[in-house]
Amino acid sequence: MGLAVKIQDLRKSFGGFEALKGVNFEVDEAEIFGLIGPNGAGKTTTLRILGTLIRPTSGQAEVFGHDVVKDANAVRVILSYLPEDAGAYQYLNGEEYLRFMAGFYAHEKTALEEMVQAGRDISGLGDRLRDRVNDYSRGMKRRLLIARALMIKPKLTILDEPTSGLDVIQAYHVRGMIKDYAKRMGVTMLVSSHNMLEVEYLCDRVALINEGVIIAEGTPTQIKTRYNAVNLEQAFMEATQLG
Amino acid sequence: MGSFTSIVYKEIKELVRDPKILFGVVLLPLLLYPLMGQGIQISQQAVETSIKGAKFSIYSDDAGTIANILVQYIKTNNTVLTIEASSLQDALIKFKDSDSVALVYIPNGYSQNITEGLKGNVKIYGNLKNLNLAEASSSEVAGSLVNVYNYYYSLSLIKSLLTDSEQTGSPVAIHDPIRLSFASIIKGNVIEVSPSQITSLIVSQSIMLPIMVMMMVIFAIQMAATSIALEKEQKTLETLMTLPVGRLTILAGKLTGSVVIAIAGSISYMIGFSYYTSSAFSFAPQVTSVDMSGAGIGIQPMGYALLGLVMFVTLVSALALAISLAVFTDSVRSAQSLTGVLIVPLIIPAMILMFSDIEMLPQTIQWVLLAIPYTHTMLATKAALLGNYWIIVRSIGYISVFTVVVLWAAAKIFSTERIITSRFTNLTFRKRKKQSS
Ligand SMILES: Nc1ncnc2c1ncn2[C@@H]1O[C@H](COP(=O)(O)OP(=O)(O)OP(=O)(O)O)[C@@H](O)[C@H]1O
Ligand SMILES: [Mg+2]
């Protein structure tokens, strides 16, 4: 199996502040990879570089062999990115939103309709898709956005904190939606979170990031045994003390 | 559908569905002009009716017949309250508390003076309780009643003098030997309307037009700033930028969408404006009786077309400017306060041009004003009224050059990552922190 993501000594500075201090990790094809860490650890910065939104100060990042800086357009075709705390256009309805976004990928009618139908199914919003996004709850909005991200059948899906700001029930649904889709389609996902339990449930492999560096990497079980912890939360605490 | 058209289509859909934008850019100019016209008409009518219904008081110290004739004359022409008082002092106190607005006072000796061929005195007191226009005008009405009486009385005197001296002649001509009339020459055409009537018409327009331009541009700026800030706040711009679509396509799509709305705004501006000018001309009744457009004063179709074009380039530049600024912010509120700065270069020329003509200002101030693109928009409206098309073409040229520069800057901004990373609110916060440490 090939490599979906390859990050080597990635650095990023904002003004004088170094947000990433040499990040290294790899994501295999068809796995769900979790990037976990506290606020300000550098998760969003890493994902934005992969999403071609910002350029690294130094180091390399590749998505399926395409360099995110030199080959940004090729990366954009195969990637789907859900920003942290994203919303949708409030004056469009859910259906219109899916159709608008699908238009950038599907250029003929049948392909477009197929894509929109996939979006409808993944969202599970049914008739509510005909209501304006403005009237949606946070949970419904998130489901619409994740459906948008997945309906285009991307080779790599990047979800930045897909359940942040949702209540327990909505977060549970959204997590179920992601896991279910991944199992069915065998897709590659890179998910960030600071909810360790969520990551343990969703991800095949995780990387712990803190203050711009990766402090541990492996399957949840590997990490837990390495730090002799009952869960990832405890492992994280141990790891940061060591680092 | 291509990416560009699909962004434009989405943009228009969003803007049209936003009630604030529909109201501010499209409906407001359509409503405001007729409302302004109506407002002026209504207040003029109110002044007129209150003058007509105004009550006068009369206090006469003179018991002579000649004074009595004047009193009778005024009484037959208006609602009159005759004040009985022992002295002028006393009469003024009674008048002050009455609901009449003007007191006609005939002092003792009026009849005597006139009988002796001297001038008789009459004095009018205006009661300015509310300090409004109607009160002041009412004492004018009382004055003109006396003047009318004065005129006919004088005619009858002249007539009897003519008969007594057995001479011929018209009493009217003897009273006013000169018949004075005015005409104006505008762009080589003689028009039988006094210069002051024409200038007052143009002055009233030159107050309204800058205000209107200012409001349209402010609305457009707010529209674009809000729309781009919402994209940033909701991270929809961030999402768009990870799609397989060029960043300039995104910018062009956004701008085109706003421009379509702005065109609708310009059209409704022109419709509203033409309605306003047609009703503004009807405010000056003497003027309407003359064909003003024949003299080249009204706006010709060419003028309207150029005006629309001026408004269009103005709006495009304002939109591009607003987008370029708002893209650096991370919330609707900070975008609105940042673009609020743009209101300054709008208000300054509007205020100055409302009260004076650009040619009357000192040379340096003229240059400063002319450097501001929006000054040209305001000048163009007046130029259209006078048919000075080359001024409008110059304005369009200048604003277009400015627009191209702004568009170039916007394109630059859109192709860097700053559009994602810059955060206006954080920026100011960080600066302050640095200064304090
Ligand atoms: N545009 C920016 N300008 C300046 N500093 C930034 C910018 N973006 C991020 N940073 C800083 O870089 C660091 C990493 O930020 P990042 O957003 O990647 O963290 P994160 O792990 O996603 O945190 P969170 O869990 O809060 O989302 C933080 O200290 C942040 O303040
Ligand atoms: Mg983050």
Side-chain angles (χ1 to χ4, degrees):
Chain A
M1 228 180 278
L3 271 188
V5 174
K6 186 173 166 194
I7 288 181
Q8 278 178 315
D9 196 28
L10 199 65
R11 286 166 196 276
K12 177 68 184 178
S13 303
F14 295 106
F17 176 78
E18 199 171 23
L20 299 183
K21 301 166 183 151
V23 170
N24 294 284
F25 66 84
E26 287 174 357
V27 179
D28 288 328
E29 206 175 332
E31 79 173 342
I32 304 187
F33 190 90
L35 195 58
I36 42 177
N39 294 128
K43 303 182 294 292
T44 300
T45 306
T46 309
L47 299 185
R48 276 179 168 172
I49 291 173
L50 282 174
T52 73
L53 286 167
I54 58 179
R55 289 154 171 256
T57 311
S58 70
Q60 241 117 58
E62 284 178 8
V63 175
F64 286 97
H66 301 290
D67 189 283
V68 293
V69 178
K70 292 186 211 112
D71 222 356
N73 286 329
V75 173
R76 287 176 189 148
V77 175
I78 55 173
L79 162 135
S80 209
Y81 179 88
L82 175 69
E84 188 177 359
D85 273 332
Y89 301 103
Q90 51 178 343
Y91 290 111
L92 299 188
N93 65 36
E95 171 93 20
E96 286 169 328
Y97 178 69
L98 292 177
R99 202 165 279 279
F100 171 61
M101 297 303 273
F104 293 100
Y105 297 90
H107 296 294
E108 46 148 298
K109 204 164 161 45
T110 43
L112 185 92
E113 290 305 326
E114 234 168 70
M115 204 176 269
V116 173
Q117 186 55 46
R120 284 193 204 105
D121 294 342
I122 301 168
S123 77
L125 287 172
D127 283 347
R128 294 303 305 272
L129 279 172
R130 260 176 254 139
D131 294 341
R132 292 225 177 137
V133 170
N134 218 6
D135 301 333
Y136 285 10
S137 72
R138 259 167 176 273
M140 289 167 67
K141 249 181 237 170
R142 201 61 60 84
R143 279 156 71 165
L144 179 71
L145 293 177
I146 292 173
R148 184 285 296 175
L150 297 178
M151 73 179 176
I152 63 162
K153 297 206 180 79
K155 286 184 83 173
L156 173 68
T157 308
I158 296 177
L159 305 175
D160 195 356
E161 304 204 19
T163 59
S164 76
L166 301 186
D167 66 30
V168 180
I169 299 168
Q170 287 177 329
Y172 180 85
H173 277 303
V174 165
R175 234 174 269 135
M177 206 178 136
I178 296 169
K179 181 126 187 166
D180 175 57
Y181 183 82
K183 213 190 278 171
R184 252 191 314 132
M185 311 295 287
V187 292
T188 314
M189 286 194 194
L190 177 50
V191 182
S192 85
S193 180
H194 44 227
N195 181 341
M196 313 275 169
L197 295 175
E198 167 172 301
V199 171
E200 213 169 333
Y201 166 78
L202 270 181
C203 302
D204 304 316
R205 248 160 25 93
V206 297
L208 306 187
I209 182 170
N210 191 36
E211 293 178 359
V213 283
I214 304 284
I215 52 173
E217 195 190 329
T219 65
T221 329
Q222 280 171 351
I223 292 178
K224 278 187 288 187
T225 35
R226 190 182 315 162
Y227 294 101
N228 198 15
V230 284
N231 57 32
L232 277 181
E233 211 162 64
Q234 205 185 357
F236 184 82
M237 294 312 286
E238 292 287 328
T240 47
Q241 266 154 33
L242 287 176
Chain B
M1 208 162 30
S3 301
F4 172 73
T5 39
S6 115
I7 292 176
V8 173
Y9 185 62
K10 177 234 109 200
E11 199 64 24
I12 293 172
K13 214 189 249 178
E14 265 198 302
L15 290 172
V16 167
R17 285 180 187 176
D18 184 346
K20 289 190 294 291
I21 284 161
L22 200 63
F23 176 77
V25 178
V26 184
L27 289 182
L28 192 74
L30 271 186
L31 286 175
L32 207 68
Y33 272 127
L35 278 181
M36 274 186 334
Q38 283 295 310
I40 293 172
Q41 226 153 21
I42 286 169
S43 61
Q44 278 188 341
Q45 277 165 1
V47 169
E48 237 164 72
T49 42
S50 78
I51 291 171
K52 273 189 195 132
K55 266 199 198 160
F56 300 143
S57 292
I58 288 188
Y59 170 62
S60 175
D61 248 352
D62 190 312
T65 349
I66 297 177
N68 261 338
I69 295 171
L70 175 57
V71 171
Q72 286 314 315
Y73 172 78
I74 292 173
K75 274 186 174 173
T76 51
N77 284 289
N78 221 296
T79 330
V80 172
L81 173 74
T82 313
I83 293 183
E84 305 289 347
S86 50
S87 67
L88 175 62
Q89 211 88 32
D90 193 19
L92 286 179
I93 289 168
K94 286 184 176 159
F95 165 60
K96 184 183 63 133
D97 296 330
S98 75
D99 58 350
S100 59
V101 287
L103 171 73
V104 181
Y105 168 54
I106 307 172
N108 196 8
Y110 169 83
S111 302
Q112 170 117 30
N113 277 11
I114 289 192
T115 323
E116 289 172 4
L118 299 172
K119 281 194 175 219
N121 295 317
V122 172
K123 194 166 187 175
I124 292 170
Y125 290 88
N127 195 6
L128 303 182
K129 277 184 189 159
N130 303 316
L131 287 175
N132 65 30
L133 210 61
E135 289 171 343
S137 310
S138 300
S139 50
E140 300 266 306
V141 172
S144 55
L145 266 179
V146 175
N147 275 335
V148 169
Y149 177 80
N150 183 29
Y151 179 67
Y152 286 109
Y153 194 75
S154 147
L155 287 190
S156 73
L157 277 181
I158 293 170
K159 204 170 175 185
S160 63
L161 282 173
L162 283 174
T163 352
D164 288 355
S165 60
E166 292 181 355
Q167 289 192 25
T168 52
S170 150
V172 179
I174 292 171
H175 186 276
D176 287 317
I178 295 173
R179 180 185 289 131
L180 182 60
S181 62
F182 290 93
S184 310
I185 299 177
I186 300 171
K187 293 189 298 169
N189 293 312
V190 176
I191 165 168
E192 297 296 327
V193 177
S194 84
S196 66
Q197 277 172 0
I198 288 174
T199 47
S200 74
L201 196 74
I202 289 173
V203 164
S204 79
Q205 307 248 318
S206 60
I207 290 180
M208 290 307 177
L209 295 176
I211 294 180
M212 211 47 224
V213 170
M214 203 170 77
M215 284 182 49
M216 284 288 293
V217 175
I218 289 173
F219 262 111
I221 285 174
Q222 293 291 335
M223 166 181 90
T226 307
S227 134
I228 200 96
L230 263 178
E231 290 247 18
K232 283 212 74 182
E233 205 176 272
Q234 300 283 315
K235 306 278 178 76
T236 47
L237 189 61
E238 201 172 318
T239 307
L240 274 185
M241 294 193 144
T242 63
L243 303 187
V245 52
R247 299 199 168 176
L248 288 186
T249 312
I250 298 172
L251 171 65
K254 265 209 98 57
L255 202 63
T256 309
S258 309
V259 164
V260 170
I261 299 298
I263 291 177
S266 309
I267 290 173
S268 77
Y269 169 87
M270 281 192 307
I271 295 173
F273 181 65
S274 68
Y275 184 92
Y276 175 73
T277 40
S278 66
S279 52
F281 279 99
S282 70
F283 295 151
Q286 305 94 318
V287 178
T288 20
S289 58
V290 188
D291 184 13
M292 296 290 276
S293 57
I297 255 215
I299 297 182
Q300 316 294 312
M302 179 67 170
Y304 278 117
L306 287 173
L307 259 192
L309 204 58
V310 168
M311 211 51 215
F312 173 72
V313 285
T314 301
L315 286 171
V316 173
S317 84
L319 290 171
L321 207 55
I323 288 178
S324 314
L325 281 180
V327 95
F328 288 114
T329 65
D330 60 359
S331 71
V332 171
R333 199 183 305 175
S334 52
Q336 282 175 346
S337 63
L338 185 60
T339 50
V341 176
L342 293 179
I343 292 169
V344 175
L346 276 169
I347 283 186
I348 291 174
M351 291 310 256
I352 296 178
L353 294 177
M354 250 161 73
F355 298 111
S356 69
D357 214 30
I358 186 126
E359 281 89 28
M360 297 178 343
L361 299 167
Q363 199 68 45
T364 40
I365 296 184
Q366 278 192 35
W367 286 117
V368 171
L369 277 185
L370 286 174
I372 302 173
Y374 305 115
T375 304
H376 293 263
T377 318
M378 294 168 197
L379 291 179
T381 32
K382 186 170 169 187
L385 211 60
L386 294 171
N388 293 333
Y389 296 141
W390 73 269
I391 289 187
I392 310 182
V393 172
R394 188 189 68 182
S395 300
I396 293 172
Y398 184 74
I399 304 168
S400 302
V401 168
F402 175 75
T403 308
V404 168
V405 172
V406 174
L407 282 176
W408 176 82
K412 265 262 175 300
I413 292 164
F414 257 70
S415 51
T416 66
E417 70 175 43
R418 226 171 305 157
I419 186 169
I420 299 294
T421 56
S422 73
R423 296 177 283 191
F424 175 61
T425 40
N426 282 17
L427 215 77
T428 49
F429 175 66
R430 251 186 276 139
K431 264 189 197 145
R432 220 172 292 145
K433 235 170 53 178
K434 254 185 203 156
Q435 276 164 359
S436 64
S437 64

